[in-house]
Amino acid sequence: MLEASRWRRLTLAIAQISRPRTLAIGLMAAQPVWVQAEELPPGATGGDNPYLFLDWMPASQLAPELQAGLPPVCSGAFVAPPRDYRNAELPPEEAPLRATADSSEWLDDGTAQLRGNVHITQGYRQLFADQVDVDRQNGTAYLRGAIEMREPNLLVRGRAAEVQTGSKAAEIEDATYVIHDEFIHGSAAYASREASGELNLSAGNYTRCEPGHVVWRMNGGEINIDNVERQGVARNVRLEILDVPVFYFPYLRFPVGDARLSGLLFPSISNSDENGWDIAIPYYWNIAPQMDATIVPRYIQYRGTGAELEVRHLHPWFNTEVRLAGLPDDEGGDDEDARELIRQGFPEELVLPAKGEDRWLVNVEQQGSSGSAWRTNVDYTKVSDADYFRDLDTSNLSVSAETALSQRAQFGLLGEHWTANLRLQEYQQLVKDRFDTYSQLPRLDIDGNYRWGDWLLNLEHEMTSFDHDETQTIRFINDTGDINSVTTRTRDFVTADRARLDYELDWDRQWLWGYFTPGVAMRYLSYDLNDQFLKPESSDTPEASAAQFTLDTGLFFERNGQFHGFDYVQTLEPRLFGLVSSNAEQEDFLNITTNPADGGNDLLFDTSLFTFSYDQLFRDSRFNGNDRIDDADRIALGLTTRFIDPTSGRDLLAASAGQVFYSEDIQVGLRDPIIESPRSEFAARLESRPLQSLRLSSDLVYDDEDMELDRGDFTVRYLDEDLRLFNFSYRYLRREERFDASDNLIQGPIEQLDASMVLPVANGTSILARANYDVTFDRELEYMAGVEYDSCCYQVRLAWRRTLDNDLADVVTPEELTYDEGVYIEFQLKGLAGLGTTVTNMLSQGIPNFQQREVLKQ
């Protein structure tokens, strides 16, 4: 390798060319890479980096700003030397040609001979060689010796080369090449650089692995790399892993960079007790720049053969994704528990309702906007049966659900002060012993918002038509210990049109030390009922209204403090919220049908109580939905204190506590009045972020009358720059215990522990684990363990998972549920092929902050 002093001699030799001429050479050489030897950190030498000739720099030798941008899974980067010569920023066609050499000679036939340390530049193109002969008559330049050709983001080295000065094309023998930004490098017996910018390799290879650690490469045949179109084509090549040929490709397209191209992706393979081997082989189809599709043939050992399809389309006004899946004539899976129930005499159509049936899924998601005037949103998912997501993993399609599927289409108009939204909403119930949810066909919301200084006016109008089958019948197994427990339930449904008006006028006055927001409101609620199932005395047009006064006010106190030399800011934030309401008579909403036992008699179409917490103290309604007017007079008191890091603004500790006090013993409830409840539970919340990477939080709800904890949780989240991830959470919810006829616990307090981690151990290897445990029933809900290896070159994830088999969750008691185990693997060759879905989605859904960790790795 030449020394840096040689470069300095070349720079001084420019004046030796006595007859400068304009000479167009297509691919010009670069500033020699050994110039960087002068910039290595103290103690580092060229011998420390045997791949310096490829512009490869280990992380320890990179400048601090480059180290900061290096992905954690990479141990170095390809770094081109700076172009600090004259006109280096210009396109070649706009720049003069300059050349230096130890000696030069122009012959009478027009041939130029440059000898020794030849360096030629024309704009951003550069060339370096030992010898260059330029034939002006044929428009050809012949290069010999240590050849180096450069353009931005491209380096080509070789033993000999021929350059067409007119077309700017070049042919190189014994070539090595680097595409810096895309982490691509390789070699070829023969390489040509076309005028269009394409690089063609004969008997060459291609890889994105780090030099010296090449795990995979495409080898042999012909390889074309188009760095402009960001794609490559290989013909008659073989994929080699650890120098062992594993696959032959007569034709293969691959991306150059992050662009995706049509072609087979790596399969997703898993094995589980119930489904057996599950093999999916995706094919990606790059239909157009704004449209693509992924087609996934799928084989499930104990169920059959099916297919999945995902189509994505981008438009200036709409973004659309369509997902379809089908599995004809499902074989039923290998479920011994289900077979045992059938042997006991339970109906097969209830135990395995999907066996022999065609299974399918449809999902459409669309977001549209004109930028200002209108918006659309479609979120529609429908499956063939309630067990679809339990039986068939949908990780290839990124669609999942637990209890219900949303089927929604919405159109909105936006104005300066008014918005209008028209929504069509249905739900598909996935729990077998529940009736369907009411559909909203349609719902119209027209809302206005005005502000004049400190005055705020909100005008909300909602009109909804609730639809349902007039009568619905469901059939299910109530007790697996009793062969006669097959239960049939029938329920009549009252349909209705609902109108709701909410007008509010607030005076929103704020200062640095606090705020004072009194307001007045008028609320109106009415129904137009279908009277088919109503009692004779029930009104088919019940209505209620109330006038309300609200007050929301708080103060901010602040002081500076110091603890063992550490500065902090402490705040004290008392808050008061009050509601005074006229009596909203809502007795006409209750017990309105001829059959009160059917449960559909209380006009509750979309309404439930909010889960009580500290944040709920200061709401003007306890109801989530518009079927009730909250007219309970009350005062809520809360107090928050914070300890803040004055440098980062981070909450080192934030603690809040409060309670609601009611002025009357009777409150409006969902179905029955709430009697003798002068105050709410005591709510508290604790949040802390002592480190940038560590977060702690806890919420508690305590019943000070029963002297018991109603609900509580504690959560720890940790994710640092070294990609170490830890999570721990505990959750408790008090519920009344229930037992079946055999004295088996079928419902009790919810008490669960959940712990997970991703721990890097060495050289890109990480350990993955999760444990989710149900304390109430003394059982594990999910155990998962795995290992990940990730580098700039490839990624492998291997995971084992043991989960509670929920296929019979609607049939057997919790204690009778068994477990399903499976082993899953993902393998991705970066820059070539691979589609990681199964394990990645499993980890993303089960381990909090896993997706954020994936972003940090980039």
Side-chain angles (χ1 to χ4, degrees), residues 434-676:
R434 297 182 187 176
F435 293 101
D436 289 340
T437 305
Y438 279 95
S439 302
Q440 300 180 23
L441 300 174
R443 171 170 175 161
L444 177 63
D445 290 272
I446 302 176
D447 302 328
N449 183 283
Y450 292 88
R451 185 175 189 114
W452 305 280
D454 296 330
W455 291 94
L456 295 176
L457 176 63
N458 291 306
L459 306 171
E460 298 181 2
H461 310 79
E462 177 251 308
M463 289 154 282
T464 306
S465 178
F466 290 100
D467 191 24
H468 201 288
D469 291 339
E470 293 179 350
T471 301
Q472 183 183 0
T473 300
I474 58 176
R475 186 167 176 255
F476 57 94
I477 299 174
N478 193 41
D479 183 0
T480 56
D482 182 3
I483 193 65
N484 298 315
S485 67
V486 175
T487 302
T488 300
R489 289 181 182 170
T490 299
R491 174 175 162 183
D492 298 328
F493 289 85
V494 176
T495 58
D497 296 332
R498 183 182 71 191
R500 176 73 183 246
L501 305 179
D502 290 277
Y503 294 172
E504 299 182 38
L505 178 64
D506 299 323
W507 185 54
D508 183 22
R509 185 60 172 159
Q510 300 185 27
W511 303 270
L512 292 177
W513 47 266
Y515 60 94
F516 184 77
T517 308
V520 293
M522 187 279 289
R523 309 191 187 280
Y524 174 79
L525 171 63
S526 69
Y527 295 91
D528 184 2
L529 305 177
N530 183 332
D531 58 6
Q532 180 177 358
F533 302 113
L534 294 183
K535 295 178 181 179
E537 65 272 20
S538 296
S539 171
D540 60 359
T541 57
E543 61 181 4
S545 62
Q548 298 179 347
F549 171 80
T550 60
L551 174 64
D552 190 4
T553 183
L555 300 173
F556 301 110
F557 300 96
E558 182 179 300
R559 73 180 184 93
N560 296 321
Q562 192 176 71
F563 180 76
H564 291 290
F566 182 81
D567 294 330
Y568 65 87
V569 176
Q570 183 187 5
T571 69
L572 192 66
E573 306 168 25
R575 183 175 181 181
L576 179 146
F577 176 84
L579 171 69
V580 178
S581 177
S582 63
N583 188 21
E585 298 290 345
Q586 298 172 74
E587 289 80 6
D588 290 345
F589 299 164
L590 307 177
N591 298 318
I592 62 172
T593 65
T594 55
N595 183 13
D598 66 11
N601 62 316
D602 291 326
L603 297 186
L604 291 173
F605 297 105
D606 63 355
T607 302
S608 61
L609 284 169
F610 278 110
T611 300
F612 187 71
S613 66
Y614 180 80
D615 289 331
Q616 307 309 319
L617 298 176
F618 312 107
R619 286 185 176 271
D620 57 14
S621 177
R622 295 169 291 122
F623 301 107
N624 180 15
N626 286 337
D627 289 313
R628 294 291 184 267
I629 296 176
D630 187 355
D631 62 353
D633 296 346
R634 59 187 180 271
I635 291 178
L637 299 176
L639 180 64
T640 298
T641 183
R642 307 176 194 271
F643 293 86
I644 303 171
D645 180 358
T647 302
S648 63
R650 191 172 67 245
D651 278 354
L652 303 174
L653 177 67
S656 303
Q659 196 168 19
V660 179
F661 299 90
Y662 298 97
S663 65
E664 297 181 3
D665 291 340
I666 300 178
Q667 305 166 29
V668 175
L670 287 175
R671 289 186 168 87
D672 299 306
I674 302 173
I675 302 174
E676 295 183 356

Side-chain angles (χ1 to χ4, degrees), residues 92-196:
E93 57 272 14
E94 299 178 9
L97 182 142
R98 293 184 171 85
T100 66
D102 288 345
S103 63
S104 62
E105 183 178 2
W106 292 88
L107 304 181
D108 293 338
D109 60 0
T111 301
Q113 295 181 343
L114 307 178
R115 296 292 184 267
N117 295 328
V118 181
H119 180 235
I120 303 174
T121 67
Q122 188 176 24
Y124 58 65
R125 291 196 179 108
Q126 300 185 80
L127 178 150
F128 182 86
D130 288 340
Q131 300 179 19
V132 176
D133 295 329
V134 181
D135 186 343
R136 295 184 60 199
Q137 183 175 358
N138 296 323
T140 306
Y142 300 93
L143 294 73
R144 293 183 297 278
I147 299 169
E148 182 179 319
M149 299 181 176
R150 288 187 182 270
E151 288 185 1
N153 199 35
L154 177 65
L155 163 66
V156 182
R157 293 180 178 274
R159 180 176 60 84
E162 179 179 325
V163 177
Q164 302 298 322
T165 60
S167 65
K168 303 181 178 67
E171 300 176 350
I172 308 101
E173 297 179 12
D174 293 337
T176 60
Y177 67 92
V178 176
I179 302 177
H180 300 79
D181 291 350
E182 309 307 337
F183 218 88
I184 293 173
H185 67 100
S187 61
Y190 181 84
S192 64
R193 194 273 189 190
E194 304 297 334
S196 60

Side-chain angles (χ1 to χ4, degrees), residues 293-368:
T294 302
I295 306 168
V296 188
R298 185 178 180 188
Y299 167 75
I300 305 176
Q301 183 179 2
Y302 298 140
R303 293 194 179 275
T305 302
E308 299 171 350
L309 171 67
E310 179 180 71
V311 180
R312 301 184 300 179
H313 179 250
L314 299 179
H315 186 273
W317 287 1
F318 297 98
N319 297 334
T320 307
E321 297 182 10
V322 178
R323 301 175 181 90
L324 306 172
L327 179 69
D329 193 16
D330 187 353
E331 297 174 10
D334 185 18
D335 193 331
E336 178 59 32
D337 296 325
R339 288 197 295 267
E340 177 61 28
L341 290 175
I342 295 172
R343 284 194 292 266
Q344 293 176 14
F346 287 95
E348 183 179 24
E349 65 271 16
L350 295 182
V351 179
L352 293 175
K355 184 177 181 180
E357 300 294 328
D358 295 336
R359 317 287 297 274
W360 51 265
L361 174 147
V362 177
N363 171 251
V364 179
E365 295 181 11
Q366 185 187 80
Q367 295 80 39

Side-chain angles (χ1 to χ4, degrees), residues 206 208 216 218 239 252-255 266 829-834:
Y206 160 98
R208 282 195 61 183
W216 69 267
M218 300 299 300
L239 172 62
L252 175 69
R253 298 180 68 195
F254 56 89
F266 270 72
L829 304 182
K830 296 184 179 180
L832 180 63

